[in-house]
Amino acid sequence: MDRAETRARIATLLEPFNKKGVALTDATTFAGDLEWDSLTVMDFVAAIEDEFDIIISMNQQAEIETYGQLVDAVITIKG
């Protein structure tokens, strides 16, 4: 799976969580731009894990602050 396909699948999953309709770029932050709280993050991570059949560790989650970082992390974990 290439980066564009991964990015598109994540964007589709993110849509219901994007209450403010923020335009997504690789630099879009979850806490700042999307204004997500920790519960929203956990729900979204669960959706990502289900969609891609992966596990994102708590340490990895702590390092992911932007949409682009998430796309790269999913690609790396998926291998």
Side-chain angles (χ1 to χ4, degrees):
M1 176 179 328
D2 67 9
R3 191 172 199 282
E5 183 182 348
T6 302
R7 193 177 192 283
R9 283 175 65 184
I10 292 173
T12 300
L13 291 173
L14 193 144
E15 198 170 312
F17 294 93
N18 189 358
K19 304 289 188 208
K20 296 186 179 275
V22 174
L24 296 176
T25 69
D26 280 352
T28 301
T29 62
F30 299 111
D33 297 324
L34 297 173
E35 298 178 7
W36 287 2
D37 59 22
S38 57
L39 181 59
T40 303
V41 170
M42 291 185 67
D43 287 345
F44 181 64
V45 167
I48 293 289
E49 290 176 334
D50 289 347
E51 172 72 18
F52 291 95
D53 194 26
I54 60 173
I55 300 293
I56 302 174
S57 73
M58 293 300 279
N59 287 341
Q60 288 168 314
Q61 288 179 41
E63 295 174 4
I64 299 170
E65 297 178 357
T66 67
Y67 178 63
Q69 288 173 334
L70 175 61
V71 172
D72 292 338
V74 168
I75 291 168
T76 300
I77 294 166
K78 202 71 177 137

